């Protein structure tokens, strides 16, 4: 999406809004345009959500302004380093006291947009104050252009923030709606060249925005496009025939290998692309339980899986660690996909890079949040991740498990696998020939894993053209020991419930709203929550027939836990 500064994004015109408005176009109580956008920047600094969630998904922003503000935010973050230099050199911030965030946004429109400052819904006094310095700001920008020998505006952007600096665009074919042959034929008729490069030739052949594609070398339902390929408005994506999903995120379903007609579970399911991938592999036959503690993220799962035409998912707002594995409801579960909260250290999504770069610019070094590599937090995450895997192994009829993270840290990957193997004897690592065997990068021979065990797990890194990721598979070796499971469940029932939650830092806890907020965007009636280990009174409502049933029982006095958003699912 490009931004032209006139309150429009290329590809569509905003709708007109009715009602009593002032001379600025604002209704009573509405914030001026740049102040509203500045508030979004402030929330990004506090890591309260993604750019898209805080703009497109923000009910406080008028529908006709959502995409405009989204595009303005993205462009301002991209050019923030050079805009900051321009503003600092001219001392605008100190003279006018408009606020650093608003000035960055306004400087973007004044200096980099052909249309200049936005007038509609803007504060005339703010525009006038900024305009007083237009000449000096443009002189400073031109000086910087000459300094870096910029041929165009893109040359003003640091290399790691430019549009082309991205991984390949991966597309998963949704076999519930279409198939690989039909999708390939569709793109071929649109003029795409279907190429067959070797692994070493990928970056040379699939250059940025080239009109080419190829079948993935390792996953039979994935296509690969050049970086920068935008398919969000493509007919196949809109109809659900293709899913925009990073290759690494597609690996867990191929590792867990659910069969047609079986019963599977996704322990930390939202936003749902991995869940729908399992359903696609199962051919919409059988059943998939999808659990997530976050009701709002579960709403996203409902929407995504409905679009993908999944018919066998039962989604429940529940803490997986509080489920009773011996509950008869789950007696037929044979496959478990586990992708718990992690540090997200492997994510290289361009939007995340833009936000991180902006935060580093806008805050003093001692104010910037500690990196996810903090040893104490990694240890806490690893403990939580280990507990998720061990709890899945308590389901007596589960025979295959995939464990994955979007992290590059051994503490969350090989070390967790080693701890799981040491803690029980019923499951072993799935052999290499069952865990994406053609993928060359395997695990690290460290953290307690032997060379043979390390070869059974998969690692991916950004240099592979995908996000950093880790996947391991576990297969049952011996029947479940029911007596042992009962004893472990008794011990769990007496433990502190907070130990069953993913670790949160202070910023996350402060930003997380109450779960008592009404569940919006889903018109279905809701069913009761999943049954926990400690039996409590349930408030079940009879659900309407639907592919996904979402519980809406309120959680009293609890904060909504905030998981690290994984763009590996996007």
């Amino acid at each position: 999406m490009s931004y032209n500064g006139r309150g429009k994004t290329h590809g569509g015109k905003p709708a007109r809004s009715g009602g009593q408005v002032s001379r600025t176009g604002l209704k009573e109580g509405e914030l001026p345009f740049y102040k509203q956008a500045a508030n979004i920047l402030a929330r990004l600094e506090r890591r309260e959500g993604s750019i898209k969630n805080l703009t497109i998904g923000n009910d406080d922003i008028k529908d006709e302004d959502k995409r405009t503000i989204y595009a303005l935010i993205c462009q301002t973050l991209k050019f923030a380093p050079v805009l900051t230099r321009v503003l600092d050199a001219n001392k605008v911030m100190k003279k006018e006291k408009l606020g650093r965030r608003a000035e960055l946004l306004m400087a973007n429109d004044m200096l980099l947009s052909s249309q200049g400052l936005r007038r509609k819904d803007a504060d005339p006094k703010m525009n006038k104050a900024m305009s007083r310095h237009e000449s000096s700001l443009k002189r400073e920008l031109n000086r910087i252009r000459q300094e870096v020998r910029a041929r165009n505006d893109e040359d003003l952007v640091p290399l790691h923030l430019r549009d082309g600096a991205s991984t390949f665009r991966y597309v998963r074919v949704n076999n519930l709606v279409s198939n690989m042959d039909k999708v390939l034929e569709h793109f071929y008729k649109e003029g795409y060249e279907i190429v067959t490069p070797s692994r070493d030739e990928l970056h040379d052949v699939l250059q940025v925005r080239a009109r080419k594609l190829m079948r993935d070398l390792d996953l039979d339902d994935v296509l690969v496009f050049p970086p920068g390929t935008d398919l969000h408005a493509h007919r196949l994506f809109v109809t659900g025939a293709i899913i925009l999903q990073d290759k690494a995120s597609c690996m867990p379903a191929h590792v867990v290998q659910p069969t047609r007609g079986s019963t599977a579970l996704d322990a930390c399911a939202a936003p749902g692309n991995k869940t729908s991938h399992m359903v696609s592999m199962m051919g919409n036959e059988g059943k998939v339980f999808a659990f997530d503690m976050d009701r709002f993220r579960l709403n996203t799962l409902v929407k995504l899986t409905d679009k993908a035409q999944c018919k066998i998912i039962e989604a429940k707002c529940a803490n997986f660690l509080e489920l009773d594995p011996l509950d008869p409801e789950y007696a037929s579960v044979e496959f478990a996909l586990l992708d718990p909260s992690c540090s997200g250290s492997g994510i290289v999504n361009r939007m995340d890079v833009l936000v991180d770069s902006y935060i580093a610019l806008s805050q003093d070094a001692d104010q910037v949040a500690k990196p996810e590599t903090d040893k104490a937090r990694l240890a806490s995450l690893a403990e939580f991740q280990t507990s998720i895997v061990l709890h899945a192994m308590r389901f007596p009829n589960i025979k295959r498990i995939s464990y994955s993270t979007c992290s590059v840290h051994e503490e969350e990957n090989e070390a967790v696998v080693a701890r799981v193997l040491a803690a029980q004897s019923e499951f072993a690592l799935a052999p290499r020939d069952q865990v994406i065997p053609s993928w060359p990068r395997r695990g690290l021979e460290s953290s307690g894993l032997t060379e043979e065990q390390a070869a059974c797990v998969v690692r991916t890194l950004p240099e592979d053209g995908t996000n950093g990721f880790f996947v391991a598979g576990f297969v049952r070796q011996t029947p479940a020991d029911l007596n042992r499971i009962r004893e472990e469940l008794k011990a769990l029932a007496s433990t502190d419930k907070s130990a069953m939650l993913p670790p949160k830092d202070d910023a996350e806890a402060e930003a997380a709203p109450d779960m008592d907020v009404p569940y919006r965007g889903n018109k279905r009636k809701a069913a009761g929550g999943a049954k926990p280990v400690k039996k409590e009174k349930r408030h079940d409502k009879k659900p309407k027939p639907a592919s996904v049933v979402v519980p809406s029982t309120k959680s009293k006095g609890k904060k909504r836990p905030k998981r690290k958003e994984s763009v590996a699912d996007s």
Side-chain angles (χ1 to χ4, degrees):
M1 181 190 304
S2 57
Y3 175 75
N4 67 10
R6 182 61 82 182
K8 298 177 184 177
T9 52
H10 295 310
K13 297 181 179 180
R16 296 181 179 179
S17 59
Q20 189 66 35
V21 296
S22 66
R23 288 185 300 172
T24 63
L26 292 172
K27 295 181 181 178
E28 185 177 355
E30 288 183 345
L31 281 176
F33 178 81
Y34 289 115
K35 285 188 177 180
Q36 195 168 35
N39 285 346
I40 303 300
L41 285 182
R43 296 182 67 184
L44 286 171
E45 290 175 25
R46 297 192 294 269
R47 298 189 184 276
E48 292 185 13
S50 67
I51 303 174
K52 186 167 290 187
N53 286 342
L54 295 177
T55 53
I56 306 298
N58 190 340
D59 291 339
D60 293 330
I61 300 177
K62 293 187 292 187
D63 288 343
E64 60 265 31
D65 286 341
K66 288 182 177 182
R67 297 182 70 83
T68 303
I69 291 181
Y70 173 79
L72 171 60
I73 293 288
C74 291
Q75 181 162 305
T76 300
L77 294 179
K78 175 181 171 181
F79 285 95
V82 68
L83 293 174
T84 297
R85 285 187 61 186
V86 170
L87 292 169
D88 285 347
N90 286 270
K91 311 299 180 185
V92 174
M93 299 179 189
K94 294 182 180 179
K95 291 181 179 180
E96 301 296 352
K97 299 181 180 180
L98 296 175
R100 179 187 182 90
R101 304 177 189 97
E103 288 168 344
L104 282 169
L105 294 159
M106 298 173 78
N108 176 84
D109 278 356
M110 175 182 285
L111 303 177
L112 301 172
S113 166
S114 60
Q115 304 296 334
L117 288 172
R118 175 185 170 113
R119 291 183 176 82
K120 181 185 177 184
D121 296 344
D123 185 335
K125 292 182 180 179
M126 292 177 65
N127 281 12
K128 185 176 180 180
M130 196 71 182
S131 297
R132 281 196 286 266
H133 304 274
E134 182 172 3
S135 297
S136 60
L137 290 172
K138 287 184 174 179
R139 281 197 301 271
E140 179 61 21
L141 180 62
N142 288 333
R143 187 193 68 76
I144 295 175
R145 287 184 196 275
Q146 295 175 2
E147 175 186 310
V148 301
R149 298 181 180 180
R151 296 164 297 177
N152 49 48
D153 287 344
E154 191 74 10
D155 288 345
L156 297 171
V157 180
L159 287 174
H160 69 289
L161 299 181
R162 295 185 185 179
D163 291 338
S166 181
T167 60
F168 296 120
R169 162 57 72 188
Y170 294 97
V171 166
R172 173 168 63 83
V173 175
N174 181 10
N175 290 316
L176 303 178
V177 178
S178 187
N179 59 54
M180 179 62 74
D181 290 340
K182 290 180 180 179
V183 169
L184 283 172
E185 182 181 6
H186 189 105
F187 281 112
Y188 178 77
K189 289 181 178 179
E190 288 186 348
Y192 280 84
E193 180 185 356
I194 301 174
V195 295
T196 57
S198 66
R199 201 179 299 274
D200 293 335
E201 298 172 327
L202 285 178
H203 288 86
D204 293 331
V205 175
L206 296 180
Q207 296 181 359
V208 177
R209 292 192 177 87
R211 205 165 176 79
K212 298 179 180 180
L213 79 154
M214 63 173 286
R215 293 192 65 164
D216 187 73
L217 299 173
D218 308 289
L219 307 179
D220 59 11
D221 54 358
V222 174
L223 294 172
V224 191
F225 290 78
T229 302
D230 187 1
L231 299 171
H232 287 87
H234 195 279
R235 178 176 176 272
L236 293 180
F237 173 70
V238 173
T239 60
I242 60 173
I243 310 292
L244 305 185
Q245 185 173 355
D246 188 72
K247 173 177 179 173
S249 175
C250 295
M251 289 183 174
H254 281 279
V255 171
V256 74
Q257 301 173 11
T259 57
R260 283 179 178 263
S262 63
T263 301
L265 68 79
D266 189 341
C268 311
N273 279 340
K274 297 183 188 73
T275 319
S276 70
H277 194 181
M278 282 202 295
V279 175
S280 178
M281 296 177 73
M282 295 164 66
N284 250 341
E285 298 176 13
K287 188 170 188 176
V288 174
F289 291 102
F291 304 104
D292 203 278
M293 295 173 61
D294 189 320
R295 186 175 302 159
F296 298 93
R297 285 171 53 83
L298 205 62
N299 184 37
T300 301
L301 179 144
V302 172
K303 293 177 181 177
L304 288 179
T305 54
D306 275 355
K307 178 182 176 182
Q309 297 189 23
C310 298
K311 306 297 182 184
I312 61 172
I313 297 174
E314 183 173 344
K316 297 191 176 189
C317 188
N319 182 346
F320 177 70
L321 289 176
E322 294 184 358
L323 297 179
D324 183 354
L326 301 181
D327 188 326
E329 184 176 13
Y330 309 123
S332 61
V333 176
E334 297 177 282
F335 303 93
L337 190 153
L338 313 176
D339 188 64
S341 297
C342 71
S343 65
S345 55
I347 296 174
V348 293
N349 178 267
R350 179 172 166 268
M351 293 296 102
D352 288 342
V353 173
L354 288 176
V355 173
D356 290 343
S357 174
Y358 167 70
I359 291 175
L361 276 173
S362 62
Q363 297 180 342
D364 294 333
D366 60 350
Q367 292 179 313
V368 178
K370 291 182 179 180
E372 288 285 352
T373 50
D374 178 80
K375 293 296 182 181
R377 176 161 172 77
L378 285 178
S380 182
L381 281 165
E383 183 177 356
F384 171 74
Q385 293 153 353
T386 302
S387 67
I388 287 284
V389 181
L390 290 176
H391 194 61
M393 290 177 173
R394 295 186 182 106
F395 286 71
N397 291 314
I398 280 185
K399 59 185 182 182
R400 193 173 183 91
I401 295 171
S402 71
Y403 166 70
S404 59
T405 73
C406 51
S407 170
V408 296
H409 299 309
E410 289 182 47
E411 294 93 330
E412 300 177 90
N413 299 332
E414 287 88 354
V416 168
V417 170
R419 290 171 68 180
V420 168
L421 293 175
Q424 53 76 50
S425 59
E426 294 179 3
F427 284 82
L429 279 174
R432 173 173 177 152
D433 61 6
Q434 297 178 15
V435 185
I436 324 293
S438 60
W439 182 255
R441 191 183 299 281
R442 314 307 289 189
L444 302 176
E445 185 186 345
S446 61
S447 302
L449 293 189
T450 66
E451 180 180 1
E452 182 181 2
Q453 289 172 328
C456 294
V457 301
V458 164
R459 269 183 170 268
T460 69
L461 293 176
E463 62 197 69
D464 300 322
T466 182
N467 285 297
F469 210 77
F470 176 86
V471 190
F474 298 94
V475 290
R476 182 176 289 282
Q477 302 295 298
T478 61
D481 184 341
L482 297 182
N483 290 329
R484 176 189 59 81
I485 294 173
R486 291 190 184 98
E487 290 301 317
E488 290 181 355
L489 293 179
K490 286 181 182 178
L492 283 174
S494 61
T495 59
D496 181 4
K497 296 301 181 184
S498 63
M500 296 184 176
L501 300 177
K504 300 180 291 182
D505 57 31
D506 293 339
E508 288 178 328
E510 181 180 349
D514 292 333
M515 282 196 65
D516 283 339
V517 177
Y519 190 93
R520 294 172 294 181
N522 191 341
K523 296 181 180 179
R524 297 190 181 95
K525 288 186 177 180
K531 189 181 295 183
V533 175
K534 183 179 179 181
K535 303 297 176 65
E536 298 176 349
K537 185 177 180 180
R538 297 176 62 181
H539 305 279
D540 292 351
K541 295 181 180 179
K542 186 177 180 181
K544 292 181 179 179
S547 60
V548 184
V549 181
V550 183
S552 62
T553 52
K554 295 183 179 181
S555 176
K556 297 181 180 178
K558 291 184 180 180
K559 294 289 186 178
R560 175 170 62 93
K562 182 178 179 182
R563 294 182 68 221
K564 175 76 176 181
E565 291 290 342
S566 173
V567 291
D569 273 330
S570 61

